[in-house]
Amino acid sequence: MTSIGERLPRKEDPRLLRGLGRFCDDQDRAGQVWMRVVRSPIAHGRLVEVRKPGSAPGGSVVTARDLPPGLRIPVRLTVQGIDLTEYLQPVLAADEVRYVGEPVAVVLADDPYEAEDIAERVEVDIDELPVTVDTASGTKAAEFELGYGPVESAFAQAAHVVTVEFDVGRHSAVPLEPRALLADVDPATGALRIFGMTKVPVFNRDVLAGMLGVDENLIHVHAMDTGGGFGVRGEFYPEDFLVPWLARKLRRPVKWVEDRAEHLVAANHSRQQRHVASAAFDENGTLLGLKDDVLHDNGAYARTHGIIVPELTLAMLPGPYRVPAFHGRIQVMLTNKTPCGTYRAPGRFEGTSVREQLFDVAADRMGIDRVELRRRNLLTADELPHTRAMSTLGTDVVLDSGDYAGLLDKAMVEADRLGYRSQLESLRERGHSAGLGVAVFLEKSGLGPQETADVVVGTSGEVRVHSGGTSLGQGIETVLAQVTADALAVDPAVVTVVNGDTVLQPFGGGSWASRSTVVGGSAVHKAALAVRERAIQLASRMLEVSEDDLEVAAGTIRVKGAPGMSVSYAEVATACRPGSPHLRNDEPAGLSARRRFEVEHMTYPYGVHLALVDVDTGTGHVKVLRYLVAYDVGRAINPTLVEGQLLGGVAQGVGGALLEEFRYDDAGQPQAVTFMDYQLPTAAELPHIDILVAQDAPAPGNPLGVKGAGEGGVTAAGASIAGAIRDALGLTGPVGRLPMTAERVRGLIEEGT
Amino acid sequence: MTSIGERLPRKEDPRLLRGLGRFCDDQDRAGQVWMRVVRSPIAHGRLVEVRKPGSAPGGSVVTARDLPPGLRIPVRLTVQGIDLTEYLQPVLAADEVRYVGEPVAVVLADDPYEAEDIAERVEVDIDELPVTVDTASGTKAAEFELGYGPVESAFAQAAHVVTVEFDVGRHSAVPLEPRALLADVDPATGALRIFGMTKVPVFNRDVLAGMLGVDENLIHVHAMDTGGGFGVRGEFYPEDFLVPWLARKLRRPVKWVEDRAEHLVAANHSRQQRHVASAAFDENGTLLGLKDDVLHDNGAYARTHGIIVPELTLAMLPGPYRVPAFHGRIQVMLTNKTPCGTYRAPGRFEGTSVREQLFDVAADRMGIDRVELRRRNLLTADELPHTRAMSTLGTDVVLDSGDYAGLLDKAMVEADRLGYRSQLESLRERGHSAGLGVAVFLEKSGLGPQETADVVVGTSGEVRVHSGGTSLGQGIETVLAQVTADALAVDPAVVTVVNGDTVLQPFGGGSWASRSTVVGGSAVHKAALAVRERAIQLASRMLEVSEDDLEVAAGTIRVKGAPGMSVSYAEVATACRPGSPHLRNDEPAGLSARRRFEVEHMTYPYGVHLALVDVDTGTGHVKVLRYLVAYDVGRAINPTLVEGQLLGGVAQGVGGALLEEFRYDDAGQPQAVTFMDYQLPTAAELPHIDILVAQDAPAPGNPLGVKGAGEGGVTAAGASIAGAIRDALGLTGPVGRLPMTAERVRGLIEEGT
């Protein structure tokens, strides 16, 4: 029996459902001081002075002048040959502020209310400078091209060339729990215990060590529960330096919890791009070439992601299609808005929206069925692995395995079975402006270069896994427990997974880029197999039989054919203690193993989204009636969790497609700083979502065959909903931008495009 | 250049001298609850009822009925074939109390003052039972014999037989910091973080895990500073279960700090024994045989040490002498007094006092100079290694190396050089009752079976050592840093040692039995050499030269003859990161090593004590005028720290010889529950102490050649002071007991013995 593939209840749930989650704000340290960030109220200006209010009792104010000079937050994901040094964000603005919300000072007080009160009375004197909110007018921080093949000749030979202009709106993740950080210092050594660093704790530990000028082993980032990550949480932000630095300086614990208004201006924004994309087809609708010219609005600074979102946008734009020639150019523009980073399916949400609109417009123009046009141009299983002469995230783009058309067919059959098309017809018959959108997409996951895992068996038989992933709410503890239980042939109930503790796992890569199950899971698998092998070796000594005569089953190592002759993992662990007669002098004590799984290439899951929408042509309101996601994840460790990932992704995708947008006025003032203005989809905005988890194309590059499931729910949501709206309104041209708010839908209707 | 042997300032001092030590009572957790122990006011009785005071607001009372049934604290150091189960101490007394101070309940409250107030109002209803305070009338818990050779025929053939009766008084260690414990629980998982478990943190973790019924990996014992150990602190006491158990039950941090009055009745007592010892000599003063019959007062229960103190008493009694035949019998008696355990030099302080009195009395009786009689009977260097057909602490007694007579001569020469004998004569000329006592002794140290150490180099070049020892104030961090620096050829300043953290070092054996430098240091040495070797391997790849062409010096790995071609440890550590081109796929990441050092036998340091005393024959007051310790530790890693150990030991020895005693009245009421009654020596009672650290006989059983230095300052203090008093008073018989309080000295004078 294997526990892989089982729909096990989440190991996280008993604590989370009973309110026993260990979120950062649940942590308090005796004697802690609270930090509050004073943020710029002006989008652009010269910072003249920051004055502490005369009557601030007990509190103190720290500005850039109090910090070590020249501190800027480095890029985590660099792109070779592109230097962003001059665009990096300082920890606190020193001379110039560049967006509303930029940290200019911090206030410290004994309680959070006092800190907030003082912060409000800090006087920030700024000489205003001209403000840029329009992407095209911004400062160009970088420009680069990606592509391969003879694009110009492809377009020259084309029977049909289709061009669309498309704007993707600025929005981002809004995790349930805002950011928070607590740093507890050992006054004797300056050693730091940090709570609340998520996503890439080891990397952030190292950045912090570098900025503080201390050894990385002086910093212990602890495992935490986290109320959602989605790319924005857990990157290294100014507060990630300020809180630990202050704790060391004050020799007191320092705590900071972001409020929602702060989160909406301080955490990474994402997505904002303007595309001009063209596709060239021959007379049969065969794609000859693809090109895209992109303006990417990165906000005021280059943050930790550098220009990886622009790079991914281009590198993933050809998607699952046979694209003989491709050229993409992207200009990364800085504006006086919140800096940008990744948000779930970064670059793919944007690029898929554009590419799939191209297919829809082209199909209509060529008179080919939209699904058929796609099917005709999808790479076939025989064509894989398929290498594109591009690289992204430091890896070559090699599509590893898949049956893209097969999944498209499955999705269409499933949609028909579920009555999507019949419902569409019925709605139309009743006079509704209903539409069906279909989008096919490619995802990427399992980014290396490595993940490391420890599997440790205690003398009670409990198995502990120390993984480099982080628990962001995605259920990774459950998944890794299943992987471990499978390899050891134990009940997953005896497996406890600790993620993101930098002492327990100092070589962790973190949870991002849909890599936890693929890379982290494979490392756990390797470590667990090593433990199993070691247990067999010890059992052989204990039972005095050959290793070949032993098998592992139901938590015991037993003699084949004589299951009564067995030892338990608990007994083996006890036999591995120092001083045990079964342990040899040159062998390490303990029943445990640390293993590293290295990968050079990513793996590429793929999927199909179908959206059935009903447009109220009077109000412009778009209602998503039905939604189907088909996604091939190679192998589902826990199908329920894959479905959960996809459901959540769709919800965020609906938000990005219809509702969520960070708008700014001409003075650079953010217009969405509460949930009244930044509109998230609620349960009322979401239909029942149909999920089809496919496992037809296991990943060849990892022992579990898995592909990441974290992002495929959102990737094509903009594309499918845009397609559905276009279908509903009978547009000949593209839906030119997202989100398709009611106002914009009314605009489309009025234009009669 | 080696850092071994250097008188480096202690690495611990910067924090300790600035008041930044991390003692348990410095720790507070938000939301913590304070525990206070309610102790029996009666020495023996049936526990009828424990009643919570009616008006206790907020507090709660926990008795044995609230605990899991049948909890008793197990023996840590078992002696084969002796079962002490029925004498083990319960966590809380359930039916019967057996000594004043026995825990019968605990009170919990939000602050320590309230907890103490409530505890005082808890009504403990006890039906009194007969009380035994006299050792001979106690319950015999165990009786055993050790010995070898034809003792009876030796005595039958002897020209001279000398017998002494000798009582060693009940006293114990009184560390500057009383015991304390803080347990912080993860409410989600029940995982415990524990502060304040010292001495044997891994063992205590395992005992606690067993008693709680959880896996040991659910418990994290943290490294702490500790204000002195000396054997009593850090054993598993009732509070070591109660605090963590309550934290889990209440899902709140629980803190407990012992006050001094509690400490004096709750922590292990020690030393109390009554000896009847005889020595048989031929006409030349050659020792033919030795025997001893001992009554050992163990107080009310068998605690974690079981009967190891009695065993050590007998096994070490022959000391450094050539003893052809030996027989010892010991009866372990239970009385209604605080239970006993080890105190610095357990069994050796007692046995050495008795044996050296025998030599003094015999020398006088045979008309041989006391030093000469000893010299004549000491084992010579040629006779070593010398095996005695006994075992103790689970190891065979094999005296490994030494030149006992050589050290005695050195000590006498040094004493003459310093004017001990001339001062004695001068005092006597002036009519003083002055005396000189000389005692020779054997110590044991370096108990196995193993110690494990990790050496980890960070990417800044900082070296961290995770040792299984504990920092009890002895300077072990400095010693292990020197050992590490020596092996790596780095500056000790870049080495940080973390002791006693069960996550960082899950296989630690702890600091006791003078084993930290010997066994812990050897493990660190092995691990550091492994790191050095690995660094050379990596440097060879980085510099593209053969490993044979590399040498390690001044913190770098460099090409021999071309010191400009080098890489630093920091660079090597960076090259060991996952993803580094220098790291191979099958190699573990990180520049670190864990190594285990295993030993089967102890090593045996040895020494000489000289005490010059002046007895006020009117008051009976004994003033120690001068004191000399000569001690061969094989190799001194840091001579200043060895001297510090010896100085502290002498101070405690003077206390045990002259002042400290836990007396009881006939009802079993302790008479020494404050420092008014339990008299510790102060600076005024201590003379300048001369120290001669010898390194003539390196230990053959470990790579550093070290022998433990922790106990030799106290071992012969009772013996030398008893000898000096006897000399001062011109006694023909023995000084029959310790401590020689003024009252007892007056008694001896009045008896004119």
Side-chain angles (χ1 to χ4, degrees):
Chain A
M1 196 210 84
T2 170
S3 49
I4 288 184
E6 295 288 314
R7 291 181 175 272
L8 285 186
R10 299 204 315 168
K11 290 185 85 75
E12 296 89 341
D13 286 341
R15 65 170 190 271
L16 295 177
L17 298 179
R18 288 182 298 154
L20 294 174
R22 297 155 300 180
F23 298 92
C24 187
D25 197 18
D26 297 324
Q27 309 282 320
D28 285 293
R29 286 289 166 273
Q32 73 195 5
V33 61
W34 286 77
M35 183 182 95
R36 175 83 186 176
V37 180
V38 180
R39 298 181 185 278
S40 174
I42 302 293
H44 191 202
R46 210 164 50 74
L47 185 59
V48 180
E49 201 184 351
V50 179
R51 278 188 305 276
K52 178 176 174 174
S55 61
S60 62
V61 177
V62 173
T63 69
R65 292 183 193 175
D66 303 306
L67 298 181
L71 288 174
R72 283 165 175 255
I73 296 168
V75 169
R76 177 166 74 87
L77 297 169
T78 53
V79 171
Q80 211 174 3
I82 293 183
D83 181 8
L84 297 167
T85 308
E86 67 177 300
Y87 308 114
L88 299 180
Q89 180 163 1
V91 168
L92 290 175
D95 305 314
E96 196 170 333
V97 293
R98 297 178 191 272
Y99 66 97
V100 172
E102 180 166 4
V104 296
V106 294
V107 165
L108 295 157
D110 285 339
D111 74 60
Y113 312 103
E114 188 189 348
E116 188 165 351
D117 288 349
I118 297 169
E120 284 177 3
R121 300 207 312 282
V122 169
E123 292 170 51
V124 182
D125 188 0
I126 295 172
D127 280 354
E128 294 192 34
L129 291 167
V131 170
T132 305
V133 290
D134 174 54
T135 308
S137 314
T139 302
K140 194 189 293 181
E143 174 178 339
F144 62 95
E145 300 176 32
L146 279 183
Y148 56 86
V151 178
E152 292 312 322
S153 67
F155 275 81
Q157 294 161 19
H160 305 277
V161 170
V162 182
T163 297
V164 302
E165 296 186 13
F166 203 95
D167 278 325
V168 182
R170 172 177 280 250
H171 63 288
S172 194
V174 185
L176 198 58
E177 182 200 11
R179 295 178 303 142
L181 209 66
L182 172 65
D184 193 2
V185 68
D186 180 333
T189 61
L192 285 162
R193 300 190 306 130
I194 295 182
F195 299 84
M197 268 188 186
T198 57
K199 185 175 181 177
V200 285
V202 171
F203 179 85
N204 282 6
R205 176 199 68 176
D206 291 348
V207 168
L208 178 62
M211 292 175 80
L212 292 174
V214 303
D215 194 83
E216 68 272 17
N217 290 312
L218 208 64
I219 301 171
H220 181 180
V221 178
H222 284 254
M224 298 292 297
D225 280 312
T226 306
F230 312 118
V232 301
R233 176 200 295 284
E235 290 295 326
F236 201 99
Y237 287 96
E239 297 87 354
D240 292 273
F241 174 80
L242 289 164
V243 171
W245 181 79
L246 286 164
R248 279 170 64 91
K249 188 179 158 79
L250 302 173
R251 288 190 172 151
R252 285 177 68 180
V254 175
K255 183 171 178 176
W256 165 74
V257 178
E258 184 181 62
D259 68 25
R260 186 60 71 187
E262 280 185 288
H263 179 85
L264 294 176
V265 298
N268 288 338
H269 287 183
S270 198
R271 302 277 202 238
Q272 189 174 10
Q273 291 181 344
R274 179 171 187 77
H275 290 248
V276 181
S278 303
F281 293 90
D282 71 8
E283 63 278 7
N284 300 318
T286 301
L287 189 64
L288 302 175
L290 186 65
K291 56 186 182 183
D292 195 3
D293 196 3
V294 191
L295 275 182
H296 176 90
D297 190 327
N298 206 58
Y301 293 103
R303 279 187 173 172
T304 49
H305 293 110
I307 54 161
I308 209 68
V309 178
E311 189 195 66
L312 277 166
T313 302
L314 295 184
M316 294 295 291
L317 199 93
Y321 297 101
R322 193 182 308 103
V323 182
F326 169 65
H327 178 262
R329 178 176 81 121
I330 197 159
Q331 299 176 73
V332 181
M333 311 301 286
L334 300 187
T335 56
N336 294 118
K337 294 181 275 191
T338 294
C340 291
T342 58
Y343 171 32
R344 206 173 193 176
R348 284 92 77 196
F349 178 89
E350 301 89 318
T352 300
S353 298
V354 175
R355 186 193 63 235
E356 296 298 299
Q357 278 283 296
L358 264 180
F359 270 92
D360 280 348
V361 173
D364 291 353
R365 200 164 298 172
M366 294 188 284
I368 305 175
D369 176 74
R370 296 172 200 152
V371 172
E372 173 53 26
L373 180 67
R374 288 176 165 87
R375 190 181 289 116
R376 211 173 278 180
N377 285 291
L378 287 169
L379 287 161
T380 64
D382 292 347
E383 291 172 285
L384 302 186
H386 174 73
T387 301
R388 286 181 175 142
M390 297 190 289
S391 74
T392 187
L393 288 164
T395 68
D396 295 334
V397 177
V398 184
L399 316 190
D400 51 345
S401 66
D403 179 5
Y404 306 148
L407 187 68
L408 176 58
D409 291 343
K410 273 192 181 178
M412 297 313 295
V413 168
E414 179 70 358
D416 283 347
R417 188 183 72 78
L418 295 168
Y420 277 51
R421 282 200 269 212
S422 56
Q423 186 174 352
L424 173 67
E425 284 156 23
S426 148
L427 284 163
R428 286 183 170 166
E429 282 165 15
R430 285 182 281 136
H432 284 254
S433 291
L436 184 66
V438 179
V440 188
F441 68 100
L442 185 73
E443 258 298 336
K444 54 109 218 125
S445 71
L447 182 65
Q450 66 94 33
E451 191 55 88
T452 304
D454 288 57
V455 171
V456 181
V457 183
T459 59
S460 75
E462 187 187 298
V463 181
R464 294 184 90 80
V465 177
H466 304 148
S467 153
T470 49
S471 284
L472 302 162
Q474 78 278 53
I476 188 65
E477 294 172 35
T478 306
V479 165
L480 297 182
Q482 289 180 253
V483 169
T484 307
D486 177 68
L488 294 177
V490 300
D491 187 334
V494 307
V495 183
T496 300
V497 177
V498 180
N499 282 301
D501 181 299
T502 61
V503 163
L504 294 176
Q505 185 44 267
F507 302 113
S511 279
W512 51 288
S514 293
R515 66 190 300 284
S516 298
T517 301
V518 182
V519 195
S522 295
V524 168
H525 177 75
K526 274 183 83 172
L529 286 184
V531 165
R532 175 195 178 113
E533 194 178 319
R534 175 77 173 141
I536 289 173
Q537 187 181 42
L538 265 288
S540 152
R541 294 178 199 168
M542 296 164 76
L543 295 167
E544 297 181 342
V545 295
S546 152
E547 291 180 32
D548 294 338
D549 293 335
L550 291 170
E551 64 182 7
V552 177
T556 64
I557 299 90
R558 65 190 189 190
V559 177
K560 290 174 190 167
M565 277 184 69
S566 70
V567 289
S568 66
Y569 276 106
E571 289 166 323
V572 174
T574 304
C576 288
R577 284 182 150 173
S580 156
H582 301 292
L583 184 69
R584 294 182 184 154
N585 194 300
D586 59 348
E587 289 178 343
L591 182 54
S592 67
R594 170 172 292 175
R595 287 296 182 274
R596 187 169 73 251
F597 179 71
E598 297 183 349
V599 273
E600 287 191 3
H601 292 103
M602 294 193 284
T603 180
Y604 293 83
Y606 54 95
V608 180
H609 282 207
L610 275 86
L612 176 62
V613 305
D614 188 6
V615 180
D616 183 321
T617 51
T619 63
H621 178 74
V622 177
K623 184 160 182 63
V624 182
L625 297 175
R626 309 198 62 172
Y627 205 96
L628 185 144
V629 177
Y631 199 41
D632 195 310
V633 296
R635 191 174 178 205
I637 305 293
N638 185 324
T640 303
L641 297 191
V642 174
E643 290 164 5
Q645 286 275 13
L646 296 174
L647 289 172
V650 170
Q652 291 181 310
V654 169
L658 296 176
L659 298 166
E660 299 177 42
E661 188 167 27
F662 291 118
R663 302 192 206 198
Y664 286 79
D665 69 11
D666 290 344
Q669 288 296 331
Q671 302 298 297
V673 294
T674 72
F675 286 161
M676 291 296 288
D677 300 302
Y678 189 81
Q679 296 197 303
L680 291 168
T682 69
E685 276 75 45
L686 293 172
H688 174 75
I689 296 162
D690 301 304
I691 308 264
L692 193 168
V693 175
Q695 305 185 51
D696 296 329
N702 69 71
L704 299 169
V706 291
K707 296 178 175 179
E711 301 174 89
V714 73
T715 315
S720 65
I721 291 171
I725 293 169
R726 192 177 166 281
D727 187 43
L729 299 182
L731 305 182
T732 54
V735 168
R737 67 182 303 171
L738 294 177
M740 285 310 294
T741 58
E743 181 188 359
R744 288 183 183 141
V745 172
R746 284 203 307 276
L748 280 178
I749 293 168
E750 283 158 20
E751 288 167 28
T753 313
Chain B
M1 197 211 81
T2 170
S3 51
I4 288 184
E6 296 288 313
R7 291 180 176 274
L8 285 186
R10 298 205 314 168
K11 291 185 85 74
E12 296 88 342
D13 285 342
R15 65 171 190 270
L16 295 178
L17 297 179
R18 289 182 297 155
L20 295 173
R22 298 155 299 181
F23 298 92
C24 187
D25 197 19
D26 297 324
Q27 309 282 321
D28 285 295
R29 285 290 167 272
Q32 72 194 7
V33 61
W34 286 77
M35 182 182 93
R36 176 83 186 175
V37 181
V38 179
R39 299 180 184 278
S40 174
I42 301 293
H44 191 203
R46 210 165 49 75
L47 184 59
V48 180
E49 200 183 351
V50 178
R51 278 189 303 277
K52 177 176 174 174
S55 60
S60 62
V61 178
V62 173
T63 68
R65 291 182 196 176
D66 303 307
L67 299 181
L71 287 174
R72 282 165 175 255
I73 296 168
V75 168
R76 178 166 73 88
L77 297 169
T78 53
V79 172
Q80 211 175 0
I82 293 182
D83 181 9
L84 297 167
T85 308
E86 68 177 301
Y87 309 114
L88 298 180
Q89 180 162 2
V91 169
L92 290 175
D95 305 313
E96 196 170 333
V97 293
R98 297 177 191 273
Y99 65 97
V100 172
E102 179 165 3
V104 296
V106 293
V107 164
L108 295 156
D110 286 337
D111 74 61
Y113 312 104
E114 187 189 350
E116 188 165 351
D117 288 348
I118 297 168
E120 282 177 4
R121 299 205 315 280
V122 169
E123 292 169 51
V124 182
D125 187 1
I126 295 172
D127 279 354
E128 296 193 34
L129 291 168
V131 170
T132 305
V133 290
D134 174 55
T135 308
S137 314
T139 304
K140 194 189 293 182
E143 174 177 339
F144 62 96
E145 300 176 32
L146 278 183
Y148 57 86
V151 178
E152 292 312 321
S153 68
F155 275 82
Q157 295 161 21
H160 306 278
V161 170
V162 183
T163 298
V164 303
E165 296 186 12
F166 203 96
D167 279 323
V168 182
R170 170 178 281 251
H171 63 287
S172 193
V174 185
L176 198 59
E177 181 200 12
R179 294 179 302 142
L181 210 65
L182 172 64
D184 194 1
V185 69
D186 179 334
T189 61
L192 284 162
R193 301 190 306 130
I194 295 182
F195 300 85
M197 268 189 186
T198 57
K199 186 175 180 176
V200 285
V202 171
F203 179 85
N204 282 5
R205 176 199 69 175
D206 291 349
V207 168
L208 178 62
M211 291 174 81
L212 292 174
V214 303
D215 193 84
E216 68 271 16
N217 290 312
L218 208 65
I219 301 171
H220 181 180
V221 178
H222 284 253
M224 297 292 297
D225 279 313
T226 306
F230 312 117
V232 300
R233 176 200 295 284
E235 291 294 327
F236 200 99
Y237 287 96
E239 297 87 353
D240 292 274
F241 174 81
L242 289 163
V243 172
W245 181 80
L246 285 164
R248 278 171 62 91
K249 188 178 158 79
L250 302 173
R251 289 190 171 150
R252 284 177 68 178
V254 176
K255 182 170 178 177
W256 165 75
V257 178
E258 183 181 63
D259 67 26
R260 186 59 71 187
E262 279 186 288
H263 179 85
L264 294 175
V265 299
N268 288 339
H269 287 182
S270 197
R271 303 276 202 238
Q272 187 172 14
Q273 291 180 343
R274 179 171 186 78
H275 290 248
V276 182
S278 305
F281 294 90
D282 71 9
E283 63 278 5
N284 302 316
T286 302
L287 188 63
L288 302 175
L290 186 65
K291 57 186 182 182
D292 195 2
D293 196 6
V294 191
L295 275 181
H296 176 90
D297 190 326
N298 206 59
Y301 293 104
R303 279 187 172 171
T304 48
H305 294 109
I307 54 160
I308 209 69
V309 178
E311 188 195 66
L312 278 166
T313 302
L314 295 184
M316 294 295 291
L317 200 93
Y321 297 101
R322 193 183 305 103
V323 182
F326 169 66
H327 178 263
R329 178 177 80 121
I330 197 158
Q331 300 175 73
V332 181
M333 311 300 286
L334 299 186
T335 57
N336 295 117
K337 295 181 275 192
T338 294
C340 291
T342 58
Y343 171 32
R344 207 172 195 178
R348 285 92 76 196
F349 178 89
E350 302 89 319
T352 300
S353 299
V354 174
R355 186 192 63 234
E356 295 298 298
Q357 278 283 295
L358 264 180
F359 270 92
D360 280 348
V361 173
D364 292 353
R365 200 164 300 170
M366 294 188 284
I368 304 175
D369 174 77
R370 296 172 200 153
V371 173
E372 174 54 26
L373 180 67
R374 288 176 165 87
R375 189 181 289 114
R376 211 174 278 181
N377 285 292
L378 286 169
L379 287 161
T380 65
D382 293 347
E383 290 173 284
L384 301 187
H386 175 73
T387 301
R388 285 180 176 143
M390 297 190 290
S391 74
T392 186
L393 288 162
T395 68
D396 295 334
V397 178
V398 185
L399 316 190
D400 50 346
S401 66
D403 178 5
Y404 306 147
L407 186 68
L408 176 58
D409 292 343
K410 272 191 182 178
M412 297 313 295
V413 168
E414 179 69 359
D416 283 348
R417 188 182 74 77
L418 295 168
Y420 276 51
R421 280 199 271 214
S422 57
Q423 186 175 353
L424 173 68
E425 283 156 24
S426 148
L427 285 163
R428 286 183 170 167
E429 282 165 16
R430 286 183 279 133
H432 285 254
S433 291
L436 184 67
V438 179
V440 188
F441 68 100
L442 186 71
E443 258 299 337
K444 56 110 219 124
S445 72
L447 182 65
Q450 67 93 33
E451 190 56 85
T452 304
D454 287 58
V455 172
V456 181
V457 183
T459 59
S460 75
E462 187 187 298
V463 181
R464 294 184 89 80
V465 177
H466 304 149
S467 153
T470 48
S471 283
L472 301 162
Q474 77 279 51
I476 187 66
E477 295 173 33
T478 306
V479 165
L480 297 182
Q482 289 180 253
V483 169
T484 307
D486 177 69
L488 294 178
V490 300
D491 187 334
V494 307
V495 183
T496 300
V497 177
V498 180
N499 282 301
D501 182 299
T502 61
V503 164
L504 294 177
Q505 185 43 266
F507 302 113
S511 278
W512 51 288
S514 293
R515 66 190 300 283
S516 297
T517 301
V518 181
V519 195
S522 296
V524 168
H525 176 74
K526 275 183 81 172
L529 286 184
V531 165
R532 174 195 179 112
E533 195 179 318
R534 174 77 173 141
I536 289 173
Q537 187 181 42
L538 265 288
S540 152
R541 294 178 199 167
M542 296 165 76
L543 296 168
E544 297 181 344
V545 296
S546 152
E547 291 180 31
D548 295 339
D549 293 335
L550 292 169
E551 63 181 6
V552 178
T556 64
I557 299 90
R558 65 191 189 188
V559 177
K560 290 174 190 166
M565 278 185 68
S566 70
V567 289
S568 67
Y569 276 106
E571 289 166 324
V572 174
T574 304
C576 288
R577 284 183 151 172
S580 156
H582 301 292
L583 184 68
R584 295 181 183 157
N585 195 298
D586 58 348
E587 291 177 343
L591 181 55
S592 67
R594 171 173 291 174
R595 287 295 181 275
R596 185 168 74 250
F597 179 71
E598 297 184 347
V599 274
E600 287 192 1
H601 291 102
M602 295 193 285
T603 179
Y604 293 84
Y606 55 94
V608 180
H609 281 206
L610 274 86
L612 176 63
V613 305
D614 188 5
V615 180
D616 183 322
T617 51
T619 63
H621 177 74
V622 177
K623 185 162 182 60
V624 182
L625 298 175
R626 309 199 62 174
Y627 205 96
L628 185 144
V629 177
Y631 199 40
D632 196 311
V633 297
R635 191 174 179 205
I637 304 292
N638 185 324
T640 303
L641 297 191
V642 173
E643 290 164 5
Q645 286 275 13
L646 296 174
L647 289 171
V650 170
Q652 291 181 309
V654 168
L658 297 175
L659 299 165
E660 299 176 42
E661 189 167 25
F662 291 117
R663 302 191 206 200
Y664 285 80
D665 70 11
D666 290 343
Q669 287 297 329
Q671 302 298 295
V673 294
T674 74
F675 286 161
M676 291 296 288
D677 300 300
Y678 189 82
Q679 297 197 304
L680 291 168
T682 70
E685 276 75 46
L686 292 173
H688 173 75
I689 296 163
D690 301 304
I691 307 266
L692 193 168
V693 174
Q695 305 185 52
D696 296 328
N702 69 72
L704 299 169
V706 291
K707 296 178 174 179
E711 300 173 270
V714 73
T715 316
S720 65
I721 291 171
I725 294 170
R726 194 178 164 280
D727 187 44
L729 299 181
L731 304 183
T732 53
V735 169
R737 68 181 302 170
L738 294 176
M740 285 309 295
T741 59
E743 180 189 1
R744 287 182 185 143
V745 172
R746 285 201 309 275
L748 280 178
I749 294 167
E750 282 158 21
E751 285 168 30
T753 313

